[in-house]
Structures are given as C-alpha cells and as structure tokens.
Amino acid sequence: MKQKIRGKPLVYLDNAATSQKPQIVLDTLLRYYTAQNSNVHRGVHFLSEQATKEYEDARNKVRRFINAAEEREIVFVRGTTEAINLVADSYGRQNVRAGDEVVISAMEHHSNIVPWQMLCQEKGAVLRVVPINDAGELLLEEYERLLTPKTRLVAMAHVSNALGSINPVRRIVELAHRQNIPVLIDGAQAVPHARVDVRDLNCDFYAFSGHKVFGPTGIGVLYGKATRLEAMPPYQGGGDMISSVTFEKTTYNKIPYKFEAGTPNIAGVIGLGSAIDYLTSIRLDAASAHENELLEYATNAISQISGIRLVGTAREKSAIVSFVVDGLHPHDIGTILDQEGIAVRTGHHCAQPVMDRFGVPATVRASLALYNTREDIDALVSGLRKVSEVFG
Ligand code: PMP
C-alpha cells in the first residue's frame, strides 16, 4: 500500500472490488506454506493434524465473527458467488418447481441475479424483482406485495455494491418468515463495514467473500441454519463430502463437510481466520464510525464539484460514493484519476440493471475502507477538479 503509482502515492479507493491485506494475513499465509503445509481431515501425521486444527479453528472464528449458533453452520466456499450458486443449485433445485417464484431486488450484483435466473429457467419458475426509488432505496411495500404463496425464496443484498444502500434486512427476513419463506442475504459489501449478527437477522443463509474483508482471494463463507443445510442435497461430489462410498451407494458426510468436496482452500481459510483476528483487534465498530465520517466528508466534497451527479443517495448508506459527471464517460475519468495514482472503479460494477434503473451506462465508484483517510478524499477531489480542467 505504500508504493507509488505513476510517481504518485497510491490512493486506493476500490475497496468494494477487493480490500488490501494487513501484514498479519500475509504472515499467516507465509507461515502456513513454509512450516505447516499439509492436507486437512486426512493424515494422522503431525502436520496434517496441525493444519486441520487451524482450519477448524478458523471456522470457529468465523462462527463467532457473525454470531452463528454452531460451527457446522459455516461452510467454506470460493466466495459470495459460489455461496449463492450452492444455495441455488442445492436448495433451489430441491424446492423450486414450475410456476414458483424467487424474489430478488433491483439493486443486486450479477452474482445474486444470474444463479436464480438459471434456476428459474431450468424449472419454469419466475424471477420477481423488488423495485427501488430514485435514491436507490428498496420499496418495502412493493416487496411485501411480491411475497405470495408462490414465493420459494428471497435473495437480497445487505449492502448494494453499486449504490451503497443498506437494506433493512432484519425486516426483510421478518416479512418473509411470516409466510415461511427462507431468505438468503448477500453480505459481500456488509461484512467489511459493520458487525453482522446472523442470529439477530434470523436469515436462513448469509454469504460473504474473504477478499473483501481483508482476507485472501478464493475463499468465502456460506452461513446456513443447520436445519436448512441438513435438509439440502450436496452441491458437488468428491472426497471429504462422503461418509462411505460403494459403487452401489454413497452416504454423505455430516454438515458442513457435505458441502466441502475436495481439498479446500486451506491457506485461504487460515488466512481468513487471521483477517478476522485483525478486525477483532481493531474493533470493527470503531472502524465503522471512522468510515461513516469519511463517507459524509466525501459525499459533501464530491457533490460540490460542478457537473457531478451522485448515483445512490439512500438515507442508510455504506462506504460507497458512485457518481457520473455531465458529458464525460466514467472510463475517461478513471483514466485521468489513475494518472494521479488514484484507484477508483469505473463501469457497471456487475450490476447492469442498476445502471439501467438510473439511465447511465456506468458510474465512477469510490469505495472506502477502514484504512482510508481524509487526505485520500482530498486527493480524489483535487483529481476530479483536474478532470474538469482537462475536459472543461
Ligand atoms: N455480491 C456483491 C454485493 C458484491 O459486491 C460482490 C463482489 N463485487 C459479489 C456479490 C461477488 O463476490 P465474489 O466476486 O467475491 O464472489
């Protein structure tokens, strides 16, 4: 993070895409590969036992971090995308039939749209989309209207990656549960910014990615209530997910192993455990307060620049500022900012329906993390002023 980009100090404002890694995570990965590398749940030898212990300790860290009731409710997957695909493939294919409905919102990331679309196509089911208002807030009354006896599942973002809107997920779950409809929450953009308590939310499934929460890439978490996971068929077949195999019949392992076929991302899991240690040590609630203060500072400063329109002005917002500038393509803005060493994301943010909703092809998105400072925002604002000069 200390390096220079194009001769300028790096200002990293693309944290919603992926976060930078603290030293403790890097040290853990190095230690694991140099001194502990071994497969898990197999050998009786020392290294394998040690790797297995660290792997399972990390599961417990995740459990505590999101306040799940039991370790077996924590399934390690590749990321949010795989977690959602797992639920669509296993729970979805088991429970969704022709004419049934799956409810999502208009602010979902493609990874919380496409798996449901694929499922609906296969089953002849219907995808229902809860609309949002001009500020980027979910229309709760519309949501309530869309919950019917045909609804088999609700899948909803906790925080929108394109707009920053925070959804009232507790209420979303409560309303669905009144009709015995299970709810999956896509927590990819929520977990890095505020404490998540899955028991308080009472959701059936919760998904997030390690790499957005200061951990390694290629690792993520699916939380599922034990009763739900137990009733679901396996997602992938292979080693570790079985308890016995003959050519006639295979019996499956208990949860969570039923959903962890093959050699898992052991280093990733242990590295994620360290990222959680890091977040626990710095106190996530203090980091949240810092980010909220920065968000307000950034929103005020950016909205004062002439020609800028903010996209996403929800009352409840997380650390994301998305905007467009009159007459300029976001990619041109991103390229000029890059010349200043400022990393922002430009594009549709894997949320094309959100762009359609706001009538723009793309936005510029500055997304904050706990290590960002007011100086970073000042650099962005002066970079944006340069953009106006270049094109002005
Ligand atoms: N959902 C949201 C809200 C996201 O922001 C992202 C990542 N941009 C994802 C899902 C997908 O996460 P991953 O690519 O880590 O699987």
Side-chain angles (χ1 to χ4, degrees):
M1 276 293 269
K2 291 203 182 79
Q3 78 258 42
K4 296 213 159 157
I5 303 287
R6 306 185 197 288
K8 308 270 172 63
L10 168 65
V11 175
Y12 188 77
L13 295 171
D14 195 16
N15 295 285
T18 197
S19 58
Q20 301 297 332
K21 317 304 171 203
Q23 192 62 43
I24 179 180
V25 172
L26 306 179
D27 291 345
T28 298
L29 294 177
L30 188 66
R31 177 173 49 80
Y32 170 72
Y33 277 125
T34 47
Q36 295 172 326
N37 178 50
S38 183
N39 214 326
V40 291
H41 304 143
R42 288 172 173 78
V44 291
H45 62 82
F46 179 79
L47 284 183
S48 177
E49 281 181 356
Q50 210 179 19
T52 304
K53 179 172 181 317
E54 289 226 20
Y55 183 86
E56 293 303 329
D57 281 354
R59 199 188 301 278
N60 193 31
K61 286 178 193 178
V62 173
R63 181 198 68 72
R64 265 188 278 131
F65 183 57
I66 60 170
N67 196 30
E70 300 178 64
E71 281 170 40
R72 64 196 183 116
E73 297 181 317
I74 306 299
V75 180
F76 288 121
V77 289
R78 260 191 316 124
T80 309
T81 303
E82 189 176 36
I84 297 170
N85 275 276
L86 189 162
V87 176
D89 210 68
S90 170
Y91 184 87
R93 289 172 99 186
Q94 186 183 46
N95 292 287
V96 174
R97 313 231 176 293
D100 287 346
E101 296 181 354
V102 174
V103 171
I104 62 170
S105 85
M107 67 173 90
E108 301 307 318
H109 186 278
H110 295 163
S111 64
N112 202 27
I113 302 174
V114 185
W116 306 116
Q117 227 162 24
M118 288 162 67
L119 173 71
C120 288
Q121 250 159 32
E122 181 186 316
K123 297 289 188 177
V126 183
L127 195 62
R128 295 277 181 215
V129 182
V130 185
I132 55 179
N133 65 18
D134 291 342
E137 294 165 323
L138 192 82
L139 296 176
L140 259 189
E141 323 76 64
E142 299 290 322
Y143 167 65
E144 267 192 90
R145 244 176 15 86
L146 286 175
L147 297 174
T148 74
K150 289 184 186 168
T151 316
R152 288 292 151 267
L153 188 104
V154 170
M156 206 74 84
H158 194 160
V159 172
S160 154
N161 69 308
L163 303 167
S165 322
I166 303 176
N167 278 324
V169 279
R170 207 157 169 268
R171 182 87 183 124
I172 285 168
V173 172
E174 196 182 299
L175 290 168
H177 280 184
R178 278 191 199 160
Q179 303 190 44
N180 291 322
I181 302 163
V183 181
L184 174 143
I185 303 294
D186 169 356
Q189 296 296 344
V191 173
H193 302 291
R195 270 205 72 76
V196 167
D197 180 332
V198 290
R199 267 189 284 178
D200 177 55
L201 296 179
N202 200 21
C203 53
D204 299 270
F205 303 102
Y206 197 97
F208 69 95
S209 300
H211 70 98
K212 293 187 200 282
V213 65
F214 314 103
T217 49
I219 189 64
V221 171
L222 171 67
Y223 158 81
K225 281 187 179 166
T227 45
R228 292 275 178 215
L229 293 177
E230 273 177 335
M232 283 158 53
Y235 168 55
Q236 293 177 329
D240 240 22
M241 55 74 73
I242 54 89
S243 74
S244 79
V245 179
T246 67
F247 287 120
E248 288 70 41
K249 186 175 164 53
T250 291
T251 53
Y252 304 126
N253 206 340
K254 55 192 186 199
I255 62 167
Y257 308 108
K258 182 169 78 176
F259 296 108
E260 293 183 1
T263 299
N265 183 351
I266 304 164
V269 167
I270 296 173
L272 174 60
S274 278
I276 290 174
D277 288 341
Y278 167 76
L279 280 173
T280 314
S281 73
I282 57 153
R283 294 206 17 253
L284 192 51
D285 45 355
S288 261
H290 167 70
E291 285 177 8
N292 287 339
E293 196 258 331
L294 271 190
L295 176 67
E296 202 183 318
Y297 183 70
T299 306
N300 282 339
I302 292 171
S303 51
Q304 275 166 29
I305 301 172
S306 69
I308 283 195
R309 173 162 71 98
L310 295 179
V311 178
T313 48
R315 272 157 300 176
E316 296 292 325
K317 252 192 93 168
S318 186
I320 284 171
V321 190
S322 246
F323 55 92
V324 289
V325 183
D326 283 346
L328 294 184
H329 196 281
H331 289 315
D332 295 332
I333 300 169
T335 307
I336 294 180
L337 292 176
D338 180 54
Q339 295 301 319
E340 302 297 314
I342 302 165
V344 292
R345 174 92 177 260
T346 61
H348 55 60
H349 318 293
C350 297
Q352 281 181 353
V354 175
M355 301 299 114
D356 293 345
R357 167 65 179 79
F358 286 90
V360 294
T363 71
V364 182
R365 181 187 70 186
S367 54
L368 313 170
L370 43 86
Y371 39 62
N372 285 121
T373 59
R374 279 186 176 227
E375 288 70 39
D376 292 340
I377 308 300
D378 293 342
L380 173 66
V381 169
S382 74
L384 288 171
R385 293 202 193 283
K386 275 218 171 91
V387 171
S388 324
E389 280 162 29
V390 171
F391 290 99

